[in-house]
Amino acid sequence: MKDIIIAYPSKDAALQLRSLLEGEGFHVSFICATGSSVLRIAHNLREGIVVCASILSDMGAGALAENLPAGFDVVALSKNGREEYMGNLINMPLPIHKDEFLQTVSILVSTRSAFTQRNKDDNEIISNAKLVLMNSGDISESQAHKYLQKESMRTGKKLVDLAKEIINDFTE
């Protein structure tokens, strides 16, 4: 199972997140308050998930995501943000929707690194499938990505395989 690292400036918030995750059967390996602590820990691990505030005392979630080794995904919780997917970074707005948050963590824990392990061809296929969904359903890119993730989890198919099916269905 992938290691889960919680990085939050507020100890109480970090403990609440740990309680929520562990209550759903996930194992939180580390809790820390700074991005530099996360980076130190992550360099000793093979893969994992970082759940963090969008802004830590020493860096933002975007900088953290860029500096993590391959195999790590970041779920950043933002007070004034909206849901976005960028590379190995998923931004989720606060207050968190418990079920969506847990489902996102579940997807990331149960799959090979959802973002960082894809090759260029797979990324292109997934991007094309998102375009198909966006054009056919009048939805945003983040909504299309969320749909792909949820369908992947529901059907047990890899994201790229599901994307290929959507493209094939559209071109028939």
Side-chain angles (χ1 to χ4, degrees), residues 40-139:
R40 245 188 331 276
I41 292 166
H43 284 290
N44 293 318
L45 303 172
R46 278 186 10 167
E47 60 183 359
I49 299 160
V50 177
V51 176
C52 65
S54 61
I55 299 174
L56 298 167
S57 63
D58 58 348
M59 69 182 72
L64 177 61
E66 288 176 11
N67 290 295
L68 282 167
F72 279 83
D73 293 308
V74 177
V75 178
L77 307 177
S78 173
K79 289 181 183 173
N80 54 0
R82 61 182 193 279
E83 192 162 338
E84 296 177 311
Y85 302 86
M86 299 171 283
N88 64 333
L89 172 63
I90 299 172
N91 282 307
M92 298 187 83
L94 287 172
I96 61 172
H97 184 274
K98 179 183 170 186
D99 292 336
E100 285 183 25
F101 172 70
L102 292 171
Q103 183 176 27
T104 299
V105 172
S106 178
I107 289 168
L108 295 174
V109 166
S110 65
T111 60
R112 237 172 127 207
S113 184
F115 300 103
T116 56
Q117 297 298 322
R118 285 194 202 121
N119 64 40
K120 188 176 179 179
D121 292 336
D122 289 351
N123 282 333
E124 189 172 323
I125 291 166
I126 292 167
S127 291
N128 288 338
K130 286 193 278 187
L131 284 172
V132 167
L133 291 169
M134 290 163 56
N135 291 331
S136 65
D138 193 34
I139 60 175

Side-chain angles (χ1 to χ4, degrees), residues 1 4-6 14-31 101-102 105:
M1 181 179 274
I4 297 176
I5 303 169
I6 295 175
L15 293 174
Q16 287 176 340
L17 283 168
R18 180 178 71 182
S19 178
L20 172 63
L21 290 167
E22 290 183 343
E24 294 296 320
F26 298 107
H27 174 69
V28 175
S29 303
F30 302 94
I31 294 178
F101 172 70
L102 292 171
V105 172

Side-chain angles (χ1 to χ4, degrees), residues 6-11 31-38 55-58:
I6 295 175
Y8 232 79
S10 160
K11 183 178 179 180
I31 294 178
C32 48
T34 65
S36 57
S37 296
V38 172
I55 299 174
L56 298 167
S57 63
D58 58 348

Side-chain angles (χ1 to χ4, degrees), residues 144-162:
H145 190 85
K146 188 175 182 178
Y147 172 82
L148 285 170
Q149 281 187 314
K150 284 185 177 183
E151 281 301 297
S152 171
M153 186 70 172
R154 186 183 68 77
T155 62
K157 295 178 183 175
K158 288 183 176 182
L159 205 62
V160 70
D161 293 336
L162 182 63

